[in-house]
Amino acid sequence: EYYHIAEELYPKDPIVYANIGSAYLKLGHNEKAKEQYEKAISMIEADPMSACADDIAITYGNYALCVGRLGDRNTAKKYLSIAKEKGYSKDSIDTICGELHLLKFLL
């Protein structure tokens, strides 16, 4: 509920959408999470200065986890690679790879 209030107050902040996506991901609502992450990523790609580097890396990593849970391993690998480029932590990448049964060397 609070994230949706933030969405109304800050409709151009991609991290608001990433946070909504994270809430849905935590609740197991992966399709809804995917929609929110895609909004965030679209905004980030349109304006890379719209969020700090750490938040961008986390958003890409969480999106990878989300699409991986939905069965799209190729997209998960693609976005994990982007997250890695953006500075996402090795431990987080390893955790996602473990959950999705991705071989780490495929990144």
Side-chain angles (χ1 to χ4, degrees):
E1 182 180 326
Y2 290 110
Y3 283 131
H4 288 296
I5 292 169
E7 179 183 12
E8 291 176 20
L9 295 172
Y10 306 102
K12 295 182 181 189
D13 185 344
I15 302 309
V16 168
Y17 297 99
N19 287 336
I20 294 169
S22 294
Y24 281 134
L25 190 65
K26 185 75 171 170
L27 294 170
H29 302 294
N30 296 319
E31 285 291 340
K32 289 181 179 182
K34 180 182 176 202
E35 292 173 14
Q36 296 302 315
Y37 287 127
E38 287 174 348
K39 284 181 193 177
I41 288 170
S42 176
M43 295 170 83
I44 289 167
E45 289 177 353
D47 180 9
M49 300 304 291
S50 62
C52 74
D54 288 342
D55 287 340
I56 291 171
I58 292 166
T59 299
Y60 282 104
N62 286 342
Y63 180 67
L65 175 60
C66 178
V67 296
R69 285 181 178 174
L70 290 167
D72 188 347
R73 294 166 54 90
N74 289 331
T75 300
K77 288 186 274 188
K78 173 185 172 183
Y79 280 91
L80 270 179
S81 292
I82 294 169
K84 181 179 179 181
E85 286 174 19
K86 304 278 185 194
Y88 200 46
S89 78
K90 181 185 178 324
D91 290 341
S92 295
I93 291 172
D94 289 348
T95 299
I96 291 171
C97 285
E99 178 178 331
L100 300 178
H101 307 290
L102 298 174
L103 297 175
K104 293 176 206 145
F105 67 84
L106 294 176
L107 297 174

